Amino acid sequence: MEQKKLFELAGETLIIYLPEELDHHTAGEIRENTDEYFVCKKIRDVIFDYQNTGFMDSSGIGLVMGRYREVRYLKGDVYIVGVNDKISRILEISGLYRVAKMKKDIKEALSDIKNKYKKEN
């Protein structure tokens, strides 16, 4: 089976393409890899792409909250895109929509980030 790309850098934004199942095991791997990006690169914003995700447990919530704490320190934001109804319900109940910005897709999130930093300068 072909390994799909999980991460992409767009300037100071880390895009995370979440897997089909976001459970304890996969969340741990993603957390370790994103920690490396935060150490080696200047990351200000993170986009979580849920387009291919059909299952998420509490580990997924912890993953998003952990990255949120990282970027808030740098005055950045966490974005959630491509969410289906099932995942949306989990994010709503968990309160993640209060800390993360919901956008339709990656392009819309990147546009929001670009406009945010345009206003700062």
Side-chain angles (χ1 to χ4, degrees):
M1 194 170 117
E2 179 188 328
Q3 177 67 31
K4 291 183 182 168
K5 175 175 63 169
L6 284 178
F7 305 100
E8 182 180 346
L9 277 175
E12 295 179 339
T13 301
L14 178 62
I15 303 167
I16 304 172
Y17 298 94
L18 296 170
E20 222 173 288
E21 292 190 4
L22 185 53
D23 57 16
H24 175 74
H25 177 71
T26 54
E29 287 179 4
I30 293 168
R31 187 177 298 109
E32 285 178 26
N33 287 314
T34 58
D35 285 346
E36 288 179 32
Y37 277 99
F38 277 97
V39 169
C40 300
K41 307 280 182 194
K42 186 178 178 196
I43 305 293
R44 285 181 73 175
D45 298 280
V46 177
I47 300 171
F48 286 94
D49 184 357
Y50 281 86
Q51 187 172 293
N52 297 314
T53 307
F55 172 83
M56 180 177 84
D57 66 12
S58 61
S59 303
I61 295 164
L63 174 69
V64 175
M65 286 304 297
R67 301 315 89 181
Y68 170 75
R69 284 190 289 275
E70 293 274 351
V71 299
R72 289 311 296 165
Y73 179 71
L74 299 168
K75 303 220 183 319
D77 290 297
V78 167
Y79 291 82
I80 295 174
V81 304
V83 176
N84 66 33
D85 291 342
K86 185 178 171 186
I87 301 292
S88 180
R89 183 88 178 111
I90 294 168
L91 296 174
E92 193 177 312
I93 291 168
S94 70
L96 279 183
Y97 284 147
R98 289 193 298 270
V99 299
K101 293 185 175 192
M102 180 72 173
K103 297 295 176 190
K104 183 179 71 174
D105 55 27
I106 292 171
K107 184 177 177 184
E108 190 177 282
L110 287 171
S111 177
D112 190 69
I113 292 166
K114 185 177 174 184
N115 290 333
K116 175 177 68 168
Y117 294 121
K118 211 183 271 184
K119 290 174 187 170
E120 281 184 8
N121 297 329

